[in-house]
Amino acid sequence: VWFGRDRPAYMSWQPQRASWLESLPDVCEALRTEPEAGVQVGRLLSDAAWTPLRESAAEMLRSPTPSYRDKALRELGPAVAGLLVSTAIVAAAELREEVVAFLRQDHDDLVVCAMSALRAAHKTKRQTHRESGLDVIARHCAARLEARLARPARAADDWSIELPQGCRCELCQTLDAFLGDKTRRTFEWPLAEQRRRHVHSTIDQNELPVRHQTRRSGRPYTLELSKTDALFARERETRQHDQTDLTWLGRTFAVR
């Protein structure tokens, strides 16, 4: 009932389970009053909770839609925090290291989840920061943010857009070549309906800053692509957000 062992994988995560994990530290504190059996039960609960949490985070990382992916990973943060704090309470060092290693993968999208967890748990005691691995995660996030902020800001005439990894069909390779061109802003592309639909879907699914519409004259119709100024606005917003997070880490976790 608690962990849905017999449920299909796609049902492995539910909002109720997230709320339950946020309360797991209180459960573990109560269990700790029985030093042997209670602590062992707390470890078993924490281990069982991590499996669907890890699977759900991995599934969310595979989502091609940035806004959904970020929102979903951010919402997992408090549950991750609850689990990490629980590992400190019941001294589940091996599980703590596994969770910390997962969050420290070479994947920028996981910084969203990790920062959400840090914000959810930052008011716990400094000792808990160390025992739960939160301080290690804080240093990792700071390093990732510093590296991102150290990259040169986009030049005013750089219109290149990176197409996320995914489909590598002939259409997507042509789209990738247009997107990656720093100077080219528009592309008129005669395509049949099914082929246009695939390009439309790729742009929309990845939320690319590209306007796309069909000019319905001639055969086949022409797909008109135009890069938009949102490219620059998004990058400015991302850099501002990264700087805000880095400042908060320095103030809250004494990360330098």
Side-chain angles (χ1 to χ4, degrees), residues 2-3 5 12-13 17 20-22 24 42-56 79-80 82-83 86 95 99:
W2 282 355
F3 301 107
R5 291 181 181 274
S12 64
W13 188 257
R17 192 167 294 146
W20 189 89
L21 268 177
E22 290 177 49
L24 186 58
R43 290 173 182 168
L44 288 170
L45 289 175
S46 299
D47 277 330
W50 171 232
T51 299
L53 181 55
R54 182 189 62 239
E55 291 173 352
S56 297
V80 172
L83 180 58
S86 297
L95 176 60
V99 178

Side-chain angles (χ1 to χ4, degrees), residues 2 29 39 42-43 59 63 73 79 94 146 177 180 210-211 227:
W2 282 355
E29 281 286 6
V39 167
R43 290 173 182 168
E59 181 180 352
S63 171
L73 288 169
E94 188 174 337
E146 286 174 347
V210 176
R211 184 167 50 252
K227 298 174 184 176

Side-chain angles (χ1 to χ4, degrees), residues 128-162:
T128 303
H129 288 181
R130 294 192 299 273
E131 294 175 353
S132 65
L134 289 168
D135 56 347
V136 176
I137 294 170
R139 290 194 294 272
H140 168 74
C141 287
R144 300 290 298 204
L145 294 170
E146 286 174 347
R148 293 201 313 221
L149 288 166
R151 298 170 190 163
R154 179 180 292 272
D157 59 352
D158 180 1
W159 287 89
S160 62
I161 300 171
E162 182 179 355

Side-chain angles (χ1 to χ4, degrees), residues 178-237:
F178 163 63
L179 294 174
D181 193 309
K182 292 185 176 183
T183 59
R184 194 175 180 189
R185 295 182 57 182
T186 62
F187 181 24
E188 295 191 351
W189 194 0
L191 286 174
E193 182 179 0
Q194 291 296 330
R195 292 162 67 81
R196 289 199 311 273
R197 187 175 299 168
H198 181 68
V199 177
H200 282 301
S201 176
T202 299
I203 292 171
D204 288 341
Q205 195 172 55
N206 290 284
E207 297 178 335
L208 301 176
V210 176
R211 184 167 50 252
H212 51 100
Q213 57 189 17
T214 301
R215 187 172 72 235
R216 300 181 182 279
S217 62
R219 290 293 181 181
Y221 291 163
T222 299
L223 179 61
E224 298 179 333
L225 304 180
S226 302
K227 298 174 184 176
T228 72
D229 290 337
L231 171 64
F232 298 93
R234 288 181 189 180
E235 179 156 324
R236 287 193 299 270
E237 182 179 343

